Amino acid sequence: MSCLFCRIVAGEIPSKQVYADEHAIAFLDINPWHVGHTLVVPRRHVDDLLGEPEALTEIAPAISATARLLVDRLAADGLNLLSSSGDAAGQEVFHLHVHLVPRFAHRPGLRELFVHEKDVDLDRVHRQIVGGAPAPGTVSRS
């Protein structure tokens, strides 16, 4: 299995998981643009949104639940949702994924979206989101 996200879904590569259900998992991005930057991926391999548009529908409940969880637990003022399909769009991992990026009033606007926060403590952020226990609504398949 060469797909990075398939290996994360299978548990072969550790992740800071914040949500899971029967169709998707959500985990913190290891190189976050902002505190709480999370990726939602389907459990099954799908290259991108254009190849199988119905896959986005399958993971929509996980996207919605994770977005609410991030905003609530991190006291975010807003949230950006982004998915890239294909090389030209900047897709780097060819497994469908949706970026959920909590946003805060001290760094508003799209110009600030891709400016990486420095020294984000992923362990602290993960604890803040999941509180040391599975998030409400989380279904584990391990």
Side-chain angles (χ1 to χ4, degrees):
M1 190 178 337
S2 63
C3 173
L4 173 66
F5 291 166
C6 284
R7 293 182 67 203
I8 290 171
V9 168
E12 295 174 15
I13 296 175
S15 68
K16 303 266 186 232
Q17 187 171 308
V18 298
Y19 180 86
D21 65 23
E22 63 274 11
H23 297 290
I25 69 167
F27 52 90
L28 294 177
D29 192 298
I30 61 169
N31 190 23
W33 299 330
H34 293 264
V35 169
H37 178 175
T38 299
L39 303 176
V40 179
V41 305
R43 288 185 179 273
R44 66 184 180 98
H45 184 83
V46 176
D47 285 340
D48 61 35
L49 162 65
L50 298 174
E52 293 191 49
E54 68 279 358
L56 188 58
T57 303
E58 292 172 11
I59 67 171
I63 293 168
S64 181
T66 303
R68 285 192 306 273
L69 179 69
L70 294 172
V71 169
D72 291 347
R73 299 277 175 92
L74 298 175
D77 300 303
L79 182 125
N80 289 106
L81 178 146
L82 173 77
S83 185
S84 301
S85 292
D87 282 323
Q91 185 176 4
E92 295 175 357
V93 177
F94 289 86
H95 182 123
L96 173 63
H97 56 287
V98 175
H99 297 262
L100 297 177
V101 186
R103 300 300 302 278
F104 302 90
H106 72 279
R107 290 191 53 208
L110 289 176
R111 286 190 182 107
E112 288 288 323
L113 177 60
F114 302 109
V115 178
H116 288 259
E117 295 232 1
K118 295 180 182 180
D119 304 319
V120 174
D121 182 341
L122 291 179
D123 290 326
R124 181 193 59 75
V125 174
H126 186 251
R127 282 191 305 274
Q128 189 174 353
I129 295 168
V130 299
T138 297
V139 174
S140 177
R141 287 183 44 154
S142 17

